[in-house]
Amino acid sequence: MADSDPLVLLRQAIAAKQPIVPTASSDPSTSAVDLAQATHLAFPESSLALPISTATRFVTGDQPVDLRSIYFAWLNRERAIPDYNAAATALNDSLPEGAGVRNLGFVGRLDLITWLEGASDSEYIRPLAGDEGDAAAAPGGAAAAAKVGGAAAAAQARAGKGTMDPRLASIYSGERKMGDRNTALRGIKPTDFSHVRKLAVPFLTKKPHASHSSSSQTMALNQKAPGKRPDPIILLSPSASALLRLSNARSFLQEGRFVPPDTSSSTASMLHLQRSMPGIDPTRPLRFILVEGPEQFKPEYWNRVVAVFTTGQAWQFKNYKWSNPNELFKHVLGVYVGWRGEQAPDNVRGWGHRVLSTGVDRWMGEGHDASRFRDKEVVEQIWKAIEVNMNNKGWRRDAAPTSI
């Protein structure tokens, strides 16, 4: 029976790196189709094709999960929870009425994936028919042999330390071995939960009686002791088309080398940079706080904003203190970073001299560092404009402006 069990077939194919093909026919040799059009899941190496609606032994909420949902969860195992949910919704929209994938919960999906990758057991998978009965019906067989073997192993582990009492060895063989955090999560593959923190920030910040700050961003923005100059703030554009994001801002603004924002998997919501500005403080560098939005701002934080990076899209300023770009750039320096040789968007040019328009050379890929020599020139131009603007607004060695 195990030879045709969907979960066993899927696990064996994954372990052997064999193809698993969604098809529109019961013929295992049929070519693959999109999962939304598939009626069967074929295992060509086993010459089997199972209906994709087949119920499996994986049970959640007292309901067996179908093979389509199991295979979909495996295909999307690397996705974060929001992306997985969105993909499931998109697939369900393209399936016929009455068909659809089960949206597995986080714990259930983690349990399934680690079992498919080789974990020894699963609390959601029911045993194959006959497994429990065979074990119970043969106390002198496999179960007894396992106990004897465990006792022998325990006794052997004390070789050279004296003979262990057989009864004590039998007790030791029944001990449950403790694991580390990875085995507790039913797998050996480290799991990155860093995205959960970013998703939780909007909910935590709404708690009015919290005894501490709800996020590191709020804590850093609020660091202002009496008589101490607060840290200036730079707002980056949250647009996906922006060339400068939190993921590559340090490389560009501090190290003078541009890399595309999608080359880093950072999920940070805030960044600190240090920059020497002798015209403001000749004795120590200034620390700048970089964020992509003013969601954590208090009203007084706006007096510390020294630059706003923009792509020319006006929706960026919707939640700003000054939502009109022409008004905003009367108070704050604007910076546009585009590709060298390309004209800035009409909006940016329409906002006039209050927005510094710059361009960097196109990214040629890793190993072409020699082509990035002009990046530092652009960075110095940006910092010089920020320093001049800060001087004009009243930034000093021991004080920040009370109004901009």
Side-chain angles (χ1 to χ4, degrees):
M1 182 176 178
D3 294 340
S4 60
D5 179 74
L7 291 179
V8 173
L9 283 171
L10 193 59
R11 181 173 177 171
Q12 290 174 345
I14 291 169
K17 298 183 179 179
Q18 296 173 352
I20 305 166
V21 184
T23 71
S25 168
S26 59
D27 184 357
S29 60
T30 307
S31 58
V33 298
D34 188 78
L35 190 57
Q37 284 77 46
T39 59
H40 289 72
L41 194 63
F43 301 86
E45 298 295 330
S46 302
S47 300
L48 287 172
L50 302 178
I52 205 162
S53 58
T54 302
T56 69
R57 294 181 291 114
F58 191 88
V59 179
T60 62
D62 295 328
Q63 294 292 326
V65 180
D66 60 281
L67 184 55
R68 180 193 282 113
S69 301
I70 297 292
Y71 181 62
F72 176 80
W74 170 253
L75 289 180
N76 294 275
R77 61 191 180 279
E78 300 293 344
R79 291 196 174 191
I81 295 174
D83 296 335
Y84 167 77
N85 292 338
T89 301
L91 178 58
N92 286 335
D93 290 342
S94 61
L95 288 172
E97 186 176 354
V101 294
R102 287 274 297 277
N103 198 337
L104 303 181
F106 173 74
V107 176
R109 184 161 67 106
L110 179 62
D111 183 280
L112 171 65
I113 291 169
T114 53
W115 186 86
L116 290 174
E117 289 177 337
S120 60
D121 59 356
S122 167
E123 62 181 281
Y124 291 89
I125 297 179
R126 292 176 177 172
L128 286 166
D131 285 1
E132 291 180 329
D134 292 344
K147 292 185 178 180
V148 172
Q156 186 177 7
R158 289 183 55 89
K161 302 179 182 178
T163 303
M164 180 183 289
D165 188 304
R167 291 173 296 178
L168 186 58
S170 178
I171 294 172
Y172 281 165
S173 69
E175 285 185 334
R176 180 179 180 181
K177 292 181 172 58
M178 301 298 291
D180 58 16
R181 65 182 184 88
N182 287 327
T183 56
L185 289 173
R186 300 186 180 278
I188 59 174
K189 182 179 179 181
T191 306
D192 182 12
F193 294 104
S194 59
H195 66 280
V196 177
R197 178 184 176 190
K198 189 172 182 179
L199 294 172
V201 166
F203 300 94
L204 296 176
T205 55
K206 294 179 182 179
K207 293 183 178 180
H209 303 296
S211 59
H212 54 78
S213 178
S214 60
S215 70
S216 58
Q217 179 179 347
T218 305
M219 291 173 62
L221 290 171
N222 208 27
Q223 285 177 348
K224 182 180 178 182
K228 179 183 176 182
R229 180 193 63 208
D231 295 331
I233 300 171
I234 295 177
L235 282 167
L236 300 180
S237 171
S239 172
S241 63
L243 297 186
L244 195 65
R245 302 289 301 274
L246 284 175
S247 57
N248 65 342
R250 184 182 301 279
S251 173
F252 185 62
L253 292 177
Q254 189 160 294
E255 301 170 9
R257 179 176 180 269
F258 174 81
V259 296
D262 55 5
T263 57
S264 171
S265 59
S266 172
T267 57
S269 60
M270 179 187 62
L271 187 67
H272 290 116
L273 296 182
Q274 288 195 335
R275 172 76 182 186
S276 294
M277 290 189 168
I280 298 175
D281 190 342
T283 61
R284 55 177 177 162
L286 278 75
R287 190 178 80 154
F288 291 81
I289 298 174
L290 277 67
V291 292
E292 288 186 345
E295 289 78 12
Q296 312 298 334
F297 273 28
K298 295 180 179 179
E300 61 268 24
Y301 291 169
W302 284 102
N303 294 328
R304 296 160 53 186
V305 176
V306 296
V308 172
F309 284 74
T310 179
T311 59
Q313 297 166 300
W315 60 261
Q316 173 186 347
F317 317 122
K318 179 179 179 181
N319 297 322
Y320 282 24
K321 178 179 180 180
W322 302 283
S323 57
N324 184 296
N326 291 311
E327 180 67 19
L328 170 67
F329 296 124
K330 289 181 182 179
H331 300 272
V332 182
L333 172 70
V335 182
Y336 169 77
V337 179
W339 295 121
R340 188 184 299 274
E342 291 188 359
Q343 193 176 50
D346 292 341
N347 278 351
V348 173
R349 289 185 284 115
W351 295 332
H353 68 279
R354 297 186 181 91
V355 179
L356 172 66
S357 183
T358 63
V360 296
D361 293 311
R362 286 191 173 275
W363 176 251
M364 304 296 292
E366 291 292 345
H368 294 79
D369 292 351
S371 65
R372 310 304 321 170
F373 68 94
R374 290 193 288 192
D375 290 349
K376 290 186 178 180
E377 177 184 344
V378 176
V379 171
E380 291 301 319
Q381 181 186 8
I382 293 172
W383 281 119
K384 183 63 178 176
I386 292 175
E387 183 175 2
V388 170
N389 181 70
M390 291 177 67
N391 264 317
N392 293 338
K393 294 298 182 181
W395 284 87
R396 299 294 180 262
R397 181 176 64 181
D398 55 356
T402 57
S403 176
I404 60 172

